[in-house]
C-alpha cells in the first residue's frame, strides 16, 4: 500500500484479492508453504493508533493457519504508514513498535515478521526520486528515512518478542550492483556501498570507519540513534534478497551512445544509467549467483529470495523464475545458505511499471490472473507449483533464453526478434495461414517473444487434408498448433458454402484430431458472427450460438465439433480485427475512401467489438501457455457501431465526417462481446491509439 500525495493505492484492493476468501484455497492448491501476508498498519489503524480494525485480517489469517501455510507478517510494505506519520517523522519508530505489539498480541502464533519491506529501496523511491510520500528529492532525506525505518524495524521486533520471544526477523532489500565506465567509478562505488546500508545498520556494522558513518552522523542521524543500531539488535534471522533484471546497473558518461535514454546528473557528471544486462562485456559478472555470493560473504546470514517477478509476457516470466531457481541451486552448491524462493506477487500487480505513479490500470499477472470471476492459475503458477513439488519445471519455452540473454538486447543491436543460434533446435509452435493477417501477426509476435515457430502456407499444410496435416505434424513435431487459416470472405460465404465449411469447420476438426493424437494443444479462431445480434447485450462465452449467416454457421459448427470431441482446443472468438501490419481493414479503407473524396457507407445499427491484432495475438499466446482450453472471448473492451468507428477514424485523419453516410432502413444488430472468464484485453481506445501511432499501412498512404 503506497501513499502518493494524499491518496493511498492498495494493491490488495486493485487486484481483487480483498474481496476473495477463495484466493486462500488457491494458495494451498498451488503448494505454497509460506506466505508474506499484509497486516498493514494503514489498513488496520488508518486514522488513530488507538482505533484498530482487524476484521478483514482475522478471517484470512485464520484460514491460512488452518491450511498449514506459514504466515510472515508484513506491517509496512512500500508505504510510509498511516496519515499521522511517515518515514521522516521522529516518532515513526515508536509508533510502529506500538502497532507491532498490538498485532503480535492479536496473532501470537505468527512466528516470522517483516516490519518494513525494503527500507532503503523504499527510501530511495520516496525521498530521492520523489515518487512516493513524502516526495523528497534529497540524498540526506533518503539516508534519514533509512535510519528511521531501521530503528522502526529494531523497535518493532523488540515489541513483538515481548509477546513472542522466539519471533524471527526477516529483512528484505533489493540487492544489485552498479558497474560503470572508469570516469564514473566513484559514483558506482557510492551506489554499491549504499545498497547495503539497511542491512549494515541493522547488523550493527555502521560504526566509526564505515563508508557512510561520518556522513550519517553529520547530516542524517544522531549519535544515539547510530549507537542503538550499532548494538546489532536488529540483526535479521533471514535476509530477504530481492533481485530484478533492473537491479544491476551500468553508468556511462558517453551519453551520445544512448539516443533513446534520458541522461541524468549527480551534480558533477552527466551520464546514463541503464540495465547492465544490455551491456555485452558485463555478461560474465552479472546474475543472481554473484549477488547471492556477495550477500552471504558479507553477512553469513541465511538467505531467502523474497521477490521473483518479471513484468513481461508469460514465457519470459517463467524463464526468469527458472533462472532464479537455477541460480539459487547453484549458490547452494557454492556453500550459500539459500532457504527459499518466493514468487511475488502471487495475485499480480497493477501499475507497477510506473511504480504506481500513473493510474493506467496496467495489470501484470502473477501466479494467478485476477481479471475473471475467480483467480485463474497462470503458466507462472504452474511452474511455481512444479518447482515447489519436484524442484524442476520443463516446458518447450525454456528451450530458448529470456530476452535478457538474446542477441538483440543491447543498445547497439536493439532488436527483440533476434534469436540465438540455438533456436534451430527449439521445439516450435506450428502456425497455419501464412498469407493471412492473423498468421503473419503470430509469426512477428512469436519472434519478438522468443518463441520458436513455423509459419505454414496451404501448400505446406492444407487444413482440409488429413494427410497434409499428418505430414506436417511429423515434419515439424510442434508442441502446439495455432490455426489462423480459413475462409474469411464473409460476403461470399452464402454462395460458397461448401468451400466455407471445408475450411472453417472440417479443417479445425481435422487439426484437432491430429493434435489430440500427438498430445499437443490447438488454438483456433471463431467469430462474433456465431451470434445473430438480437440478444440486447454483449455476448459472453456461455451464451448459445445462433448464427444468422453461412459464415457464422461454419464457425459455430467448428466450435460444436471441437467441443464434442473433448479436444484440448482453445477456441478464441473475436471480432472485426485490425492490425498495424494489415493493408486491408475497415480503418485503412475508410481513410483511403475519404481521401479520394468518396462516400463511406457505415451502419449505425450494427454494433461490434473491434479488436487490435497485437493485443489479440499476445492474449491468445498467454492463454495457450497457461494451458487454457474451451471458448474464450478476446476483444478490446468496448463496443461501437461501424458508423461511429468511421467517424473516429475520420477525426483522427482530420478528414471530416460529412462524407460518412448511414444506410437506410437497416435492422439493428449487436454482436459485441465481453467475457465472463476474464477480460484480458485493454480498452478499444488503447488499441486504436496504438494503431494510429504504428500502422505501417497508414504511413504508406500518408
Amino acid at each position: 500500500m503506497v501513499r502518493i500525495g494524499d491518496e493511498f493505492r492498495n494493491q490488495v484492493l486493485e487486484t481483487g484479492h480483498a474481496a476473495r476468501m477463495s484466493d486462500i484455497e488457491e494458495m494451498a492448491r498451488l503448494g505454497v508453504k509460506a506466505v508474506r501476508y499484509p497486516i498493514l498498519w494503514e489498513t488496520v489503524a488508518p486514522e488513530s493508533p488507538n482505533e484498530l480494525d482487524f476484521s478483514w485480517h482475522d478471517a484470512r489469517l485464520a484460514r491460512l493457519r488452518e491450511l498449514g501455510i506459514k504466515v510472515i507478517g508484513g506491517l509496512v510494505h512500500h508505504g510510509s504508514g498511516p496519515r499521522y506519520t511517515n518515514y521522516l517523522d521522529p516518532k515513526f519508530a515508536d509508533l510502529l513498535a506500538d502497532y507491532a505489539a498490538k498485532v503480535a498480541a492479536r496473532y501470537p502464533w505468527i512466528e516470522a515478521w517483516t516490519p518494513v519491506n525494503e527500507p532503503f529501496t523504499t527510501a530511495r523511491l520516496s525521498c530521492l526520486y520523489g515518487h512516493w510520500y513524502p516526495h523528497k528529492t534529497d540524498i540526506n532525506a533518503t539516508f534519514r528515512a533509512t535510519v528511521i525505518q531501521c530503528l522502526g524495524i529494531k523497535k518493532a521486533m523488540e515489541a513483538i518478542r515481548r509477546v513472542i520471544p522466539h519471533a524471527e526477523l526477516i529483512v528484505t532489500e533489493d540487492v544489485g550492483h552498479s558497474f560503470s565506465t572508469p570516469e564514473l567509478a566513484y559514483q558506482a562505488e557510492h551506489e554499491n556501498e549504499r545498497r547495503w546500508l539497511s542491512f549494515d545498520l541493522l547488523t550493527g556494522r555502521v560504526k566509526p570507519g564505515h563508508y557512510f558513518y561520518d556522513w550519517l552522523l553529520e547530516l542524517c542521524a544522531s549519535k544515539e540513534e547510530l549507537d542503538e543500531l550499532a548494538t546489532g539488535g536488529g540483526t535479521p534471522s533471514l535476509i530477504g534478497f530481492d533481485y530484478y533484471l533492473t537491479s544491476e546497473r551500468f553508468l556511462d558518461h558517453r551519453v551520445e551512445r544512448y539516443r533513446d535514454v534520458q541522461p541524468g546528473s549527480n551534480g558533477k557528471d552527466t551520464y546514463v544509467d541503464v540495465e547492465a544486462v544490455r551491456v555485452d562485456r558485463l555478461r560474465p559478472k552479472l546474475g543472481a549467483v554473484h549477488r547471492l555470493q556477495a550477500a552471504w560473504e558479507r553477512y553469513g546470514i541465511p538467505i531467502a529470495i523474497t521477490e521473483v517477478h518479471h513484468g513481461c509476457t508469460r514465457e519470459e516470466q517463467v524463464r526468469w523464475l527458472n533462472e532464479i531457481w537455477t541460480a539459487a541451486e547453484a549458490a547452494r552448491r557454492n556453500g550459500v545458505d539459500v532457504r527459499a524462493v518466493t514468487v511475488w506477487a502471487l495475485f499480480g500487480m497493477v501499475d507497477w511499471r510506473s511504480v504506481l505513479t500513473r493510474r493506467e490500470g496496467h495489470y501484470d499477472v502473477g501466479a494467478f490472473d485476477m481479471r475473471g470471476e475467480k483467480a485463474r492459475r497462470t503458466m507462472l503458477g504452474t511452474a511455481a507449483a512444479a518447482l515447489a513439488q519436484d524442484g524442476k519445471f520443463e516446458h518447450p519455452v525454456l528451450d530458448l533464453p529470456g530476452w535478457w540473454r538474446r542477441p538483440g538486447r543491447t543498445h547497439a543491436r536493439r532488436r527483440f526478434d533476434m534469436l540465438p543460434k540455438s533456436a534451430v533446435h527449439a521445439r516450435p509452435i506450428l502456425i497455419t495461414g501464412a498469407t493471412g493477417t492473423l498468421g503473419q501477426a503470430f509469426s512477428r509476435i512469436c519472434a519478438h517473444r522468443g518463441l520458436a515457430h513455423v509459419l505454414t502456407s496451404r501448400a505446406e499444410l492444407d487444413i482440409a487434408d488429413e494427410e497434409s496435416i499428418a505430414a506436417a505434424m511429423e515434419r515439424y513435431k510442434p508442441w502446439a498448433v495455432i490455426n489462423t487459416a480459413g475462409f474469411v470472405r464473409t460476403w461470399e460465404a452464402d454462395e460458397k458454402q461448401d468451400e466455407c465449411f471445408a475450411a472453417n469447420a472440417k479443417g479445425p476438426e481435422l487439426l484437432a484430431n491430429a493434435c489430440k493424437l500427438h498430445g499437443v494443444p490447438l488454438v483456433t479462431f471463431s467469430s462474433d458472427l456465431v451470434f445473430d445480434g438480437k440478444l440486447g447485450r454483449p455476448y459472453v462465452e456461455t451464451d448459445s450460438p445462433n448464427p444468422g449467416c453461412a459464415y457464422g454457421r461454419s464457425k459455430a459448427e467448428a466450435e460444436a465439433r471441437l467441443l464434442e470431441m473433448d479436444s484440448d482446443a482453445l477456441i478464441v472468438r473475436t471480432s472485426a480485427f485490425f492490425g498495424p501490419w494489415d493493408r486491408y481493414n475497415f480503418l485503412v479503407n475508410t481513410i483511403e475512401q475519404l481521401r479520394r473524396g468518396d462516400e463511406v457507407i457505415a451502419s449505425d445499427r450494427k454494433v461490434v467489438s473491434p479488436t487490435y491484432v497485437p493485443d489479440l495475438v499476445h492474449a491468445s499466446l498467454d492463454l495457450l501457455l497457461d494451458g487454457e482450453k474451451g471458448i474464450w472471448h478476446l476483444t478490446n473492451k468496448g463496443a461501437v457501431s461501424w458508423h461511429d468507428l468511421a467517424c473516429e477514424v475520420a477525426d483522427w485523419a482530420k478528414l471530416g465526417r460529412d462524407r460518412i453516410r448511414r444506410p437506410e432502413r437497416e435492422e439493428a444488430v449487436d454482436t459485441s462481446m465481453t467475457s465472463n472468464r476474464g477480460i484480458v484485453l485493454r480498452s478499444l481506445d488503447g488499441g486504436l491509439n496504438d494503431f494510429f501511432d504504428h500502422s505501417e499501412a497508414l504511413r504508406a498512404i500518408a
Side-chain angles (χ1 to χ4, degrees), residues 387-404:
L387 291 171
Q389 181 172 336
D390 303 320
K392 59 183 179 180
F393 176 68
E394 200 283 327
H395 194 280
V397 302
L398 297 177
D399 291 350
L400 290 175
W403 67 260
W404 55 96

Side-chain angles (χ1 to χ4, degrees), residues 52-82:
L52 292 84
D53 180 0
F54 287 102
S55 55
W56 185 89
H57 305 81
D58 284 347
R60 284 152 182 83
L61 292 169
R63 187 61 182 141
L64 286 166
R65 189 182 187 189
E66 289 170 5
L67 292 169
I69 299 174
K70 178 180 178 179
V71 172
I72 301 162
L75 306 183
V76 178
H77 191 111
H78 290 141
S80 54

Side-chain angles (χ1 to χ4, degrees), residues 143 146-148 150 196-206 210 216 225-226 228-235 299:
F143 285 161
T146 305
V147 170
I148 288 176
C150 289
W196 301 114
L197 183 56
S198 58
F199 289 145
D200 280 0
L201 283 165
L202 289 164
T203 55
R205 288 170 169 260
V206 181
H210 185 275
L216 293 174
E225 290 171 330
L226 294 180
E228 181 175 353
L229 288 167
T231 64
T235 299
Y299 301 108

Side-chain angles (χ1 to χ4, degrees), residues 239-437:
I239 284 178
F241 176 100
D242 299 341
Y243 175 80
Y244 293 84
L245 278 168
T246 54
S247 295
E248 292 172 311
R249 314 299 301 175
F250 179 65
L251 315 180
D252 195 336
H253 67 286
R254 300 164 298 183
V255 297
E256 69 280 357
R257 296 188 174 198
Y258 306 85
R259 295 182 180 179
D260 58 342
V261 178
Q262 181 68 37
S265 174
N266 58 9
K268 178 180 178 181
D269 287 305
T270 298
Y271 56 91
V272 296
D273 179 343
V274 297
E275 303 99 324
V277 292
R278 298 193 187 279
V279 182
D280 246 345
R281 65 179 178 81
L282 294 177
R283 188 169 183 173
K285 301 177 182 179
L286 303 179
V289 172
H290 293 290
R291 308 289 78 84
L292 286 165
Q293 189 71 41
W296 175 248
E297 290 175 358
R298 190 176 183 100
Y299 301 108
I301 297 172
I303 297 171
I305 303 176
T306 41
E307 290 183 12
V308 179
H309 177 71
H310 182 34
C312 199
T313 55
R314 292 291 197 281
E315 69 287 343
E316 299 289 42
Q317 286 186 314
V318 171
R319 287 165 178 161
W320 181 242
L321 173 61
N322 190 65
E323 182 164 319
I324 294 299
W325 183 271
T326 302
E329 290 183 319
R332 290 183 67 169
R333 289 193 297 271
N334 293 341
V336 180
D337 188 359
V338 180
R339 299 284 179 88
V341 173
T342 305
V343 175
W344 182 83
L346 205 58
F347 298 109
M349 57 204 77
V350 180
D351 287 340
W352 269 97
R353 297 187 182 191
S354 66
V355 290
L356 297 169
T357 57
R358 297 192 297 272
R359 278 199 175 274
E360 298 170 325
H362 193 113
Y363 176 68
D364 283 327
V365 304
F368 297 96
D369 186 334
M370 305 293 285
R371 292 172 292 184
E373 294 179 353
K374 61 180 182 178
R376 183 180 65 81
R377 187 186 292 194
T378 66
M379 185 189 192
L380 183 66
T382 300
L387 291 171
Q389 181 172 336
D390 303 320
K392 59 183 179 180
F393 176 68
E394 200 283 327
H395 194 280
V397 302
L398 297 177
D399 291 350
L400 290 175
W403 67 260
W404 55 96
R405 295 193 179 278
R406 298 203 294 269
R409 74 190 186 284
T410 65
H411 285 278
R413 304 168 68 190
R414 199 73 172 272
R415 277 190 56 191
F416 286 106
D417 59 350
M418 292 178 67
L419 299 180
K421 293 179 180 178
S422 60
V424 297
H425 304 295
R427 289 164 285 182
I429 299 170
L430 191 154
I431 305 168
T432 69
T435 60
T437 295

Side-chain angles (χ1 to χ4, degrees), residues 641-654:
S641 71
W642 289 110
H643 182 271
D644 288 347
L645 184 59
C647 289
E648 189 162 350
V649 172
D651 290 346
W652 175 84
K654 296 181 174 59

Side-chain angles (χ1 to χ4, degrees), residues 161-223:
R161 285 173 176 149
R162 283 193 285 272
V163 179
I164 312 164
H166 56 284
E168 296 179 312
L169 169 61
I170 300 173
V171 178
T172 57
E173 197 63 87
D174 185 326
V175 179
H177 192 83
S178 292
F179 302 87
S180 73
T181 56
E183 289 80 355
L184 291 167
Y186 73 95
Q187 181 65 29
E189 180 185 16
H190 166 84
E191 294 186 10
N192 289 329
E193 290 294 335
R194 78 185 189 191
R195 277 193 180 273
W196 301 114
L197 183 56
S198 58
F199 289 145
D200 280 0
L201 283 165
L202 289 164
T203 55
R205 288 170 169 260
V206 181
K207 300 175 180 178
H210 185 275
Y211 190 91
F212 286 114
Y213 181 82
D214 291 340
W215 185 335
L216 293 174
L217 185 60
E218 182 179 354
L219 299 169
C220 310
S222 69
K223 186 174 186 303

Side-chain angles (χ1 to χ4, degrees), residues 1-57:
M1 190 160 177
V2 174
R3 182 178 178 184
I4 299 175
D6 289 328
E7 180 186 19
F8 284 89
R9 293 198 65 174
N10 187 337
Q11 292 288 287
V12 173
L13 285 172
E14 292 187 40
T15 61
H17 175 64
R20 290 175 166 159
M21 272 293 291
S22 59
D23 291 352
I24 306 295
E25 317 297 325
E26 294 294 340
M27 284 190 211
R29 280 191 279 273
L30 195 67
V32 170
K33 297 179 177 66
V35 61
R36 182 162 36 136
Y37 206 75
I39 317 172
L40 299 183
W41 189 4
E42 55 267 42
T43 63
V44 174
E47 303 301 331
S48 165
N50 300 315
E51 298 175 14
L52 292 84
D53 180 0
F54 287 102
S55 55
W56 185 89
H57 305 81

